[in-house]
Amino acid sequence: MTGAARLDPSVAGGEGARSLTAGDVARLVGGTLAGDGAVTVTGVAPLDRAGESDVSFLAAARYAPLLERSRAAVVLVSPDLADAAAAAAVRARVVVDRPHEALLAVLPALYAPPPRTPGVHHTAVIGTGARLGSDVTVGPYAVIGDGASLGDRAWVDAHCVVGAGVSVGEDARLYPGVTLYAGAVVGRRVILHSGVRVASDGFGYVYRDGAHQKLPHVGRCVVEDDVEVGANTTLDRGSIDDTVIGAGTKIDNLVHVAHNVRVGRLCLIMAQVGIAGSVRVEDGCVLAGQVGIAGHHTIGKGARLAAQAGVFGDIPPGETWSGYPARPHRVALRAQAALFKLPSLIRGIERLLGERGA
């Protein structure tokens, strides 16, 4: 790789950028190079903002007009759009089946990850009986509670709190300001972004003697291997059962998962989703932004909920539902179309009534 040693520490975000030639890019993604293989790139940007040292990509025909005005040095392009790229003033293009997916190889080669120095910062607080694996990193003012354990190479950043008895798996990454209450179990290679709260009490009360009496929460919150959770998301512990986030699931920012919820493997949960207590989300589901799910329902395996869907019943496996209340997507679209027709229908009825009155 031509530019692997050339780092620019001034790059925004502090990661540092490397340089690659167009030929390097083609080899990384297994694509076909056309144009100047020696042109050098140091970053990645969308077509409309790319500069003369950036890689960009074109994967959908609706973005082809942006390519005509783009200043990108190298463009990753799908085979069906290769002719459009050839007509543009791009110095080099790389034809590859899935340009967006190809960025998985390009981005790590161009952007160095932030450095990690194993060790425990002198301001960190380590509780009695805590167990730290090899090569762990514990940042400034982090707190590791009594009896907690960190797996090998775990990274607990500044101002994190790992509660008493909490287990954090190997290669897990806790960004600054994460709080793991007692009762949290975090698996291997889990990524928790800033502000994540795991195993906080759920919203459980019983009205008695003129007051809302709090139900003690004694279940755990288990985050399985390879889960990533976005900033300021809250995962409640179970009341008398466990809350579980299945392996490989990815959760966006500002999501709330209530007590006793079970989320399956490889799910995608987007921003501002709210999942009420005791919901079951089976493997491979997709919950788009601002979906709300009422308690005690089941979202079947592989189901998809469109943005802002309001769910008040079970969703069959493999189906796409949308709307409020949620219904099969085609039904929701027909209902919405009918709703938009109402004003003109009402005006027609009013005219008929007016003519009869006259």
Side-chain angles (χ1 to χ4, degrees), residues 42-337:
T42 59
V44 177
L47 285 169
D48 57 339
R49 295 199 296 275
E52 295 176 354
S53 60
D54 287 328
V55 179
S56 193
F57 68 98
L58 177 63
R62 68 177 182 271
Y63 296 116
L66 297 178
L67 183 62
E68 298 172 7
R69 304 185 300 273
S70 180
R71 297 167 58 228
V74 179
V75 173
L76 302 170
V77 60
S78 57
D80 56 317
L81 297 171
D83 290 343
V90 177
R91 295 174 64 188
R93 59 193 182 277
V94 176
V95 181
V96 62
D97 286 339
R98 297 178 180 86
H100 197 195
E101 185 178 312
L103 291 178
L104 290 172
V106 176
L107 285 167
L110 278 174
Y111 295 91
R116 183 180 76 89
T117 303
V120 178
H121 195 272
H122 68 90
T123 60
V125 177
I126 309 298
T128 303
R131 300 180 301 279
L132 308 185
S134 62
D135 297 323
V136 301
T137 299
V138 180
Y141 301 101
V143 177
I144 311 298
D146 295 347
S149 66
L150 304 181
D152 296 345
R153 299 171 301 282
W155 186 349
V156 178
D157 219 324
H159 296 281
C160 289
V161 176
V162 177
V166 168
S167 171
V168 177
E170 299 170 2
D171 299 297
R173 173 77 192 274
L174 278 59
Y175 280 87
V178 169
T179 299
L180 308 181
Y181 286 60
V185 178
V186 174
R188 297 171 296 178
R189 299 175 299 279
V190 167
I191 299 172
L192 303 179
H193 289 274
S194 293
V196 167
R197 306 292 186 251
V198 177
S200 51
D201 282 357
F203 196 70
Y205 299 90
V206 174
Y207 189 76
R208 189 180 68 178
D209 299 331
H212 297 290
Q213 306 286 341
K214 182 179 177 66
L215 285 172
H217 281 63
V218 297
R220 303 177 301 168
C221 182
V222 179
V223 181
E224 295 183 351
D225 297 346
D226 300 302
V227 169
E228 183 165 2
V229 181
N232 294 322
T233 283
T234 300
L235 312 176
D236 290 344
R237 72 187 299 172
S239 54
I240 56 174
D241 194 5
D242 290 342
T243 300
V244 179
I245 310 298
T249 284
K250 311 300 181 184
I251 301 178
D252 200 357
N253 303 337
L254 297 168
V255 169
H256 177 215
V257 178
H259 57 198
N260 306 331
V261 169
R262 298 266 174 157
V263 176
R265 294 168 51 86
L266 299 173
C267 294
L268 293 176
I269 302 177
M270 282 69 162
Q272 299 182 356
V273 166
I275 306 176
S278 300
V279 166
R280 298 292 182 265
V281 180
E282 296 182 347
D283 294 350
C285 290
V286 177
L287 279 55
Q290 296 187 330
V291 163
I293 305 174
H296 299 272
H297 296 302
T298 297
I299 313 302
K301 182 177 181 179
R304 296 165 297 277
L305 297 175
Q308 296 190 326
V311 179
F312 298 97
D314 293 348
I315 304 296
E319 294 192 6
T320 299
W321 284 43
S322 63
Y324 184 91
R327 63 199 86 180
H329 187 52
R330 290 182 181 275
V331 175
L333 290 176
R334 287 197 294 269
Q336 193 72 17

